[in-house]
Amino acid sequence: MELYESIRNEICEVCHLLYERGYVVSNDGNVSVRVEPDKVLITPSGVGKGRMTPDMLVLCDLQGNVLAGTRYPSSESKMHLMIYRERSDVMSVVHAHPPLSTAFSICRRPLKERYLAEMIVGLGEIPVTEFAMLSTDEVPDSVRPFVQDHSAVLLANHGALAWGPSLWSAFDRLEVVEQTAKVFYYVDRIGGGVEITQEQADTLRSMTGFYQKLAGKRDA
């Protein structure tokens, strides 16, 4: 347990937040963090995220071989490991079943309309994968086409998946997916929205670096 202790604690904190915010129930979801270029800590199979403890986490290599831990890694570990192999800059992957974004995944409806400035600057379009049988190679294969150009997807009839340069960025992105799904749902109920124009969207994207700078520490 002493190995990567602080990261283990942060993973458990994220797991507890996923549970507390209703993004997972029972044994839903999985969380992983790249701790070395070829090593990943991942949540175990069959344990509820609300009761996850640091000693339960499993250390694997990028081929899925267990290096440390007394439990089996998540049954969806293949999905996580594929993303790490494809993207050396990705340091964390978070998967959950938030209710509204999961509903969109069941409807096979991507979150693509240009309704939210924050979505344009941050995640961009959130596509839906092809349906994949759980815990098989179909799952990573269904995600692979979107890994390079996206930071999140809806897994058809399954839930939401997000990745990023840190654990908290991956969690934040998953939370933005669910919030976006909520907004889209309300827009549909009201009767439809007005999209931001393509020109306005291009201007917003050009400001990404500005917002990234503001998110960092201010120079003294």
Side-chain angles (χ1 to χ4, degrees), residues 94-124:
V94 178
H95 165 54
H97 300 174
L100 267 174
S101 44
T102 299
F104 273 80
S105 83
I106 292 169
C107 295
R108 310 291 176 89
R109 178 178 164 181
L111 302 171
K112 64 180 181 179
E113 288 80 5
R114 297 186 303 270
Y115 288 153
L116 295 169
E118 293 80 6
M119 176 183 169
I120 292 169
V121 173
L123 291 178

Side-chain angles (χ1 to χ4, degrees), residues 158-195:
H158 189 170
L161 176 72
W163 52 92
S166 69
L167 173 58
W168 289 107
S169 69
F171 172 80
D172 288 346
R173 287 171 177 177
L174 185 129
E175 194 159 45
V176 169
V177 171
E178 178 66 357
Q179 179 68 8
T180 301
K182 289 178 182 178
V183 171
F184 278 37
Y185 172 76
Y186 289 129
V187 169
D188 287 349
R189 291 291 297 271
I190 292 170
V194 177
E195 291 190 69

Side-chain angles (χ1 to χ4, degrees), residues 38-127:
D38 59 348
K39 294 178 182 177
V40 171
L41 271 175
I42 190 166
T43 50
S45 182
V47 179
K49 304 305 166 291
R51 55 182 182 274
M52 189 68 58
T53 57
D55 59 296
M56 294 178 177
L57 301 175
V58 182
L59 184 68
C60 298
D61 64 20
L62 296 189
Q63 285 67 51
N65 299 305
V66 175
L67 305 176
T70 60
R71 294 175 178 268
Y72 290 100
S74 167
S75 60
E76 298 296 357
S77 59
K78 292 177 181 179
M79 173 176 67
H80 292 245
L81 299 177
M82 179 277 295
I83 294 173
Y84 292 122
R85 291 194 300 267
E86 294 283 326
R87 291 276 302 270
S88 60
D89 59 319
V90 169
M91 300 304 290
S92 182
V93 179
V94 178
H95 165 54
H97 300 174
L100 267 174
S101 44
T102 299
F104 273 80
S105 83
I106 292 169
C107 295
R108 310 291 176 89
R109 178 178 164 181
L111 302 171
K112 64 180 181 179
E113 288 80 5
R114 297 186 303 270
Y115 288 153
L116 295 169
E118 293 80 6
M119 176 183 169
I120 292 169
V121 173
L123 291 178
E125 178 181 339
I126 302 162

Side-chain angles (χ1 to χ4, degrees), residues 123-161:
L123 291 178
E125 178 181 339
I126 302 162
V128 183
T129 68
E130 295 291 327
F131 177 75
M133 190 56 62
L134 302 185
S135 307
T136 70
D137 289 335
E138 291 180 11
V139 180
D141 289 346
S142 73
V143 177
R144 185 175 285 108
F146 307 104
V147 169
Q148 296 298 331
D149 298 323
H150 296 272
S151 299
V153 296
L154 300 178
L155 302 170
N157 297 75
H158 189 170
L161 176 72

